[in-house]
């Protein structure tokens, strides 16, 4: 994915990798042998060495965030390809929407393909026709619509200007924020709630969620991760995740007081 991302995104990248000693050596050899990666001088590789049985996804995100040298960052995952030209579009958007002086999280709408060989859409119009043909779907359309429903894809189809959306339970969009945004909560490891908790915290800190009308990213298919497999097959794993969620919500209540009550009621209703 890394070479593909570099071809789509010419801006700086801060990348956290979770590797064993041997894998780190293997990665180094791969990177040095890659024309695409060796031609880049704005990609930072931050290696977190493997320890324990769980994938510390939010620690990795924090490591990547800590080494950002730009005033703004686009928080993405390795299995997504940004649209061509997204970097320049975001640079213009942060100025237009005055991110320097306002607490905003700009949402890049997320889509997915189930095809390993995808002819990547060059424009929003092309993406919309692929959606209509069933080559693309809104992200997690089949398994977890709540994660991205508030983005309001029906509105996005015809939107020509940015629009504000409200936080809802389980919302986990991919966002552009200022460098000083809160860290991810490290207690969420493996699968489940790692981005949901972060977006909830942004909402608690009164960030405005604004959807960008001409931005998109596409999730590329891959085998299920070790952690989602454990989540699906292991009841104990799901019980532990539930406990962590409850602890996190209690912490939110302590930190944000009355304003955080809505997160508890949203959870009870969902």
């Amino acid at each position: 994915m890394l070479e593909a991302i570099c071809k789509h995104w010419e801006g700086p990248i801060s990348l956290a990798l979770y590797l064993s000693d041997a894998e780190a050596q293997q990665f180094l050899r791969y990177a040095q042998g890659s024309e695409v990666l060796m031609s880049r001088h704005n990609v930072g590789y931050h290696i977190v060495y493997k320890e324990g049985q769980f994938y510390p996804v939010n620690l990795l995100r924090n490591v990547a965030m800590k080494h950002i040298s730009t005033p703004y960052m686009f928080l993405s995952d390795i299995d997504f390809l940004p649209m061509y030209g997204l970097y320049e579009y975001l640079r213009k958007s942060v100025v237009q929407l005055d991110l320097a002086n306002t607490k905003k999280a700009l949402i890049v709408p997320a889509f997915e393909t189930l095809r390993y060989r995808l002819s990547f859409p060059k424009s929003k119009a092309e993406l919309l026709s692929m959606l209509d043909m069933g080559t693309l779907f809104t992200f997690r359309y089949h398994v977890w619509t709540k994660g991205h429903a508030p983005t309001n894809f029906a509105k996005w189809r015809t939107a020509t200007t940015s629009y504000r959306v409200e936080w809802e339970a389980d919302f986990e969009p991919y966002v552009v924020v200022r460098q000083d945004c809160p860290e991810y909560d490290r207690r969420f490891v493996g699968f489940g709630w790692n981005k949901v908790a972060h977006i909830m915290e942004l909402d608690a800190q009164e960030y405005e969620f604004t959807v960008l009308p001409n931005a998109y990213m596409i999730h590329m298919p891959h085998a299920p991760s070790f952690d989602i497999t454990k989540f699906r097959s292991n009841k104990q794993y799901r019980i532990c995740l539930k406990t962590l969620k409850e602890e996190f919500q209690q912490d939110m209540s302590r930190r944000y007081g009355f304003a955080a009550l809505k997160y508890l009621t949203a959870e009870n209703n969902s």
Side-chain angles (χ1 to χ4, degrees), residues 21 37 43 45 49 52 65 85 119 173 184 189 211 213 231 243 253 263 266:
D21 278 358
L37 300 187
V43 179
Y45 305 99
Y49 284 98
M65 278 164 65
S119 164
Y184 286 85
V189 294
V211 180
F231 171 81
T243 306
S253 300
Y263 307 121

Side-chain angles (χ1 to χ4, degrees), residues 19-32 47 49:
L19 304 171
S20 65
D21 278 358
E23 286 166 343
Q25 292 308 312
Q26 197 184 342
F27 177 75
L28 187 60
R29 283 194 299 274
Y30 159 74
Q32 287 171 336
I47 294 174
Y49 284 98

Side-chain angles (χ1 to χ4, degrees), residues 6-255:
C6 285
K7 288 174 186 171
H8 281 242
W9 175 272
E10 64 279 16
I13 297 171
S14 178
L15 175 78
L17 296 146
Y18 191 53
L19 304 171
S20 65
D21 278 358
E23 286 166 343
Q25 292 308 312
Q26 197 184 342
F27 177 75
L28 187 60
R29 283 194 299 274
Y30 159 74
Q32 287 171 336
S34 161
E35 217 174 288
V36 176
L37 300 187
M38 291 314 287
S39 68
R40 294 291 287 260
H41 303 288
N42 60 355
V43 179
Y45 305 99
H46 314 294
I47 294 174
V48 176
Y49 284 98
K50 281 188 174 172
E51 187 187 350
Q53 59 168 320
F54 298 109
Y55 183 67
V57 59
N58 279 355
L59 167 66
L60 296 182
R61 288 184 172 130
N62 290 343
V63 166
M65 278 164 65
K66 202 177 282 157
H67 292 92
I68 296 263
S69 57
T70 54
Y72 308 102
M73 51 193 177
F74 169 40
L75 306 173
S76 185
D77 282 340
I78 195 72
D79 47 10
F80 275 89
L81 283 181
M83 72 175 197
Y84 292 109
L86 183 63
Y87 176 61
E88 278 308 319
Y89 178 70
L90 294 182
R91 278 169 64 96
K92 290 186 183 121
S93 299
V94 295
V95 175
Q96 277 171 355
L97 296 164
D98 194 24
L99 237 67
N101 303 303
T102 54
K103 263 191 173 177
K104 282 195 183 89
L106 310 184
I107 294 171
V108 175
F111 299 86
E112 70 178 3
T113 178
L114 306 177
R115 300 181 177 194
Y116 280 85
R117 294 180 69 83
L118 175 79
S119 164
F120 201 92
K122 303 276 194 299
S123 64
K124 179 174 176 175
E126 215 174 291
L127 176 129
L128 291 175
S129 71
M130 289 169 84
L131 265 180
D132 292 339
M133 287 184 330
T135 323
L136 288 178
F137 302 92
T138 55
F139 185 49
R140 289 280 177 265
Y141 169 79
H142 300 90
V143 289
W144 183 244
T145 45
K146 287 162 78 174
H148 293 265
T151 299
N152 193 346
F153 291 102
K155 181 168 184 170
W156 184 81
R157 287 183 73 102
T158 55
T160 51
T161 55
S162 63
Y163 57 93
R164 189 175 171 181
V165 294
E166 295 297 324
W167 175 88
E168 288 174 32
D170 300 315
F171 194 25
E172 50 175 6
Y174 290 92
V175 294
V176 177
V177 284
R178 282 203 313 247
Q179 189 200 21
D180 62 359
C181 99
E183 284 197 325
Y184 286 85
D185 192 297
R186 281 176 57 172
R187 84 188 89 190
F188 294 103
V189 294
F191 174 80
W193 253 60
N194 45 74
K195 285 197 304 293
V196 170
H198 187 243
I199 294 296
M200 196 182 270
E201 182 119 22
L202 294 188
D203 184 63
Q205 291 196 13
E206 299 183 343
Y207 275 70
E208 250 180 55
F209 295 107
T210 302
V211 180
L212 297 170
N214 291 306
Y216 56 86
M217 60 199 295
I218 300 177
H219 178 266
M220 307 310 279
H222 56 82
S225 70
F226 179 61
D227 294 280
I228 198 168
T229 307
K230 268 198 298 205
F231 171 81
R232 286 171 178 164
S233 62
N234 187 328
K235 190 180 177 197
Q236 193 62 41
Y237 192 102
R238 294 194 295 275
I239 291 167
C240 289
L241 180 60
K242 190 172 184 291
T243 306
L244 288 177
K245 279 161 73 166
E246 285 161 3
E247 275 179 20
F248 174 77
Q249 285 166 323
Q250 283 161 7
D251 287 354
M252 289 284 281
S253 300
R254 274 196 291 275
R255 291 214 304 279

